[in-house]
Amino acid sequence: MEPGRYLCLDCGLTATKAAVFDPGGVQLAEARGRTPVRVAGEASEIDMEEQWRLCAGLVSEALARAGEVPGDPAIAGVGVSGHGGGLYPVDAGGRPVRAALTSMDGRAAPVVEAWAREGRTRYAVTRHHPWAGQSLPQLRWLKEAAPVDYGRVRWALGAKDWVVHRLTGEISTDRTEASNGALIDLGNGCYDPGAPAVFGVPEVRGMLPPVHESAEVVGEVSAAAAAATGLRRGTPVVAGMFDVVACAVGSGALDDRSCSLIAGTWNINSVFDAHLVAMPPSVKTSLGPDAGRFAYVESSATSAGNLEWFLGLLEELGGSPAGGREALYQRIGAGVDALPPGAGGVVFLPFIHRAHLAPGTDAAFAGLRAGHGAHHLVRAVFEGVAYAHRAHLELLAQGGLSRPRAVLSGGAASSPAWCRIFADVLDREVETSDAAQAGARGIALAVAVGIGRRRSYAEAAEGMVRPGRRYPPDPARAAAQREGYARFRDVAARLGGETGRI
């Protein structure tokens, strides 16, 4: 078995995945399962032990698919990425205090609203306004709602930190996770001692795990984890990073010419820069995976999830399509490609979940007439999502972070028709990643750096990341899409009033 392979886990809110990569960044095998999220009203929780059992089983499955023998030394290193935000609380013995709160848990929203009314902020230091899915508001909520549980919390971990702990027995986090939680003074890269005090939980300072660079080896696979997963005991494990950063790294979008666009359930747009610059308040600024790099993220729930919502409505009426969703996607792509830009005057606003891009505006189709068909509506959805990504990129550009190269990943990247629309709407070449799991490959790059096989992320990207397909903009279609974007903004403003302006 060729030595130097990397085992990477990606713990998302929808799916959890394990993947094996060879030293050149080629994905050899993958296993996936649904993340055990339980939703009830505003609550969104994960049984932490159930999540660990899922991870362990997926690792075993991925290793088997890659032809690994349990305990074989072919796996040279392990890393984990996970959804940002959320609270995975453990006690002094490293055991779960209660179910984890995910970043979609809304029970801390009244806490955040109260802080805003009271003028509590550390934005100047952390460059984050608190939101309900972060660990600090969730800890404050837990203190009030379940004080006995709160009193047992020794460490406040993130999703991937919990899995790293189960793999190694060590308590850790990394730069990207900690700063995404609004816990880091971005000026010095250390925990901000003022944040817990300002937000009424000064004791949280003692619950924060040690911070490492994302590629730093923080421990080794323990005997118990080896027995559960089939990994070799003693295999090094790196600190990892939260999934948005991991996806950008795995897409090769780390340089100062590139932006990473994730068009999945969420619309996520990120760039890296060596300078800490002033940005619009909606931009979340975090530390990058290594020293001297900052990550800037603009996001909302306005991306490919809108298509899944729309198709789901149609299936409620007509049942599942013949040939399944994959066959449907192919028919949709051909139908959308056959229509010119502008979808025959139909405009779709992708706000099935309200977004700060247009805070007073709900989702809507506008401009419908009797002559329009189903593909006009689908093309309008494709364009509306691309317009929302453009709006986010314009907010990044307001801070001087305009990038000529765009790397697209997520569900939309698998549709050539949608990729062409992105290229025309953004009026720049769009390229996709060759990796089915860009986030997992980002962790593979971190492992390669952490165990000393690559000297830097740049060197790792050069040897392990290859572009997928490239989609250049068409000048005529791009001109038409400029007009389409103007209509999109106008419709949002008209429907939302002054609060609907993008």
Side-chain angles (χ1 to χ4, degrees), residues 91-433:
D91 63 19
R95 297 175 296 269
V97 169
R98 65 179 314 281
L101 279 65
T102 81
S103 56
M104 299 300 289
D105 194 290
R107 288 173 288 181
V111 172
V112 174
E113 292 165 3
W115 288 347
R117 289 193 302 270
E118 296 161 5
R120 297 174 186 254
T121 180
R122 293 293 289 174
Y123 180 81
V125 175
T126 67
R127 300 295 181 92
H128 279 256
H129 292 295
W131 51 284
Q134 288 177 316
S135 62
L136 200 57
Q138 290 175 338
L139 283 164
R140 177 63 183 271
W141 171 83
L142 188 64
K143 182 178 183 178
E144 297 172 355
V148 174
D149 285 347
Y150 183 77
R152 295 176 54 223
V153 178
R154 176 63 186 89
W155 300 107
L157 303 180
K160 54 94 179 168
D161 303 330
W162 161 244
V163 177
V164 169
H165 170 63
R166 288 308 307 262
L167 285 166
T168 66
E170 303 295 332
I171 296 293
S172 67
T173 192
D174 85 298
R175 294 161 46 89
T176 68
E177 179 77 29
S179 54
N180 184 57
L183 297 167
I184 295 290
D185 181 337
L186 296 188
N188 60 28
C190 300
Y191 280 123
D192 170 28
V198 164
F199 295 116
V201 280
E203 63 278 4
V204 165
R205 287 185 61 183
M207 302 176 187
L208 304 179
V211 179
H212 302 266
E213 290 200 1
S214 301
E216 186 175 345
V217 174
V218 295
E220 298 177 342
V221 173
S222 68
T229 62
L231 290 165
R232 178 177 55 87
R233 180 181 181 181
T235 304
V237 180
V238 301
M241 59 188 90
F242 90 92
D243 54 4
V244 171
V245 174
C247 192
V249 171
S251 299
L254 267 170
D255 61 84
D256 59 6
R257 297 186 65 258
S258 304
C259 59
S260 168
L261 281 62
I262 306 174
T265 303
W266 276 72
N267 171 336
I268 301 172
N269 311 269
S270 58
V271 301
F272 294 97
D273 199 85
H275 302 95
L276 184 58
V277 297
M279 298 297 295
S282 62
V283 177
K284 296 177 176 63
T285 305
S286 304
L287 297 175
D290 54 354
R293 205 188 311 258
F294 297 93
Y296 298 87
V297 179
E298 252 290 309
S299 64
S300 62
T302 57
S303 200
N306 283 267
L307 178 66
E308 297 307 304
W309 164 81
F310 181 63
L311 297 181
L313 293 181
L314 297 181
E315 288 179 358
E316 283 185 21
L317 295 174
S320 298
R325 275 286 179 94
E326 289 305 316
L328 177 61
Y329 292 145
Q330 292 181 10
R331 295 197 299 273
I332 284 174
V336 165
D337 256 346
L339 294 173
V346 181
V347 175
F348 176 68
L349 303 181
F351 304 125
I352 56 172
H353 305 288
R354 283 196 167 184
H356 67 271
L357 292 175
T361 308
D362 294 315
F365 284 100
L368 285 169
R369 298 186 300 278
H372 289 128
H375 285 117
H376 288 95
L377 272 69
V378 176
R379 182 171 181 106
V381 171
F382 279 23
E383 291 181 342
V385 166
Y387 294 149
H389 277 269
R390 174 171 171 170
H392 281 304
L393 291 176
E394 288 179 349
L395 288 170
L396 290 169
Q398 287 180 21
L401 299 179
S402 179
R403 299 290 190 259
R405 175 175 177 259
V407 183
L408 180 65
S409 58
S414 62
S415 166
W418 214 340
C419 290
R420 282 187 280 272
I421 287 173
F422 265 91
D424 295 333
V425 167
L426 302 180
D427 199 12
R428 74 188 78 178
E429 184 173 83
V430 168
E431 63 182 67
T432 60
S433 169

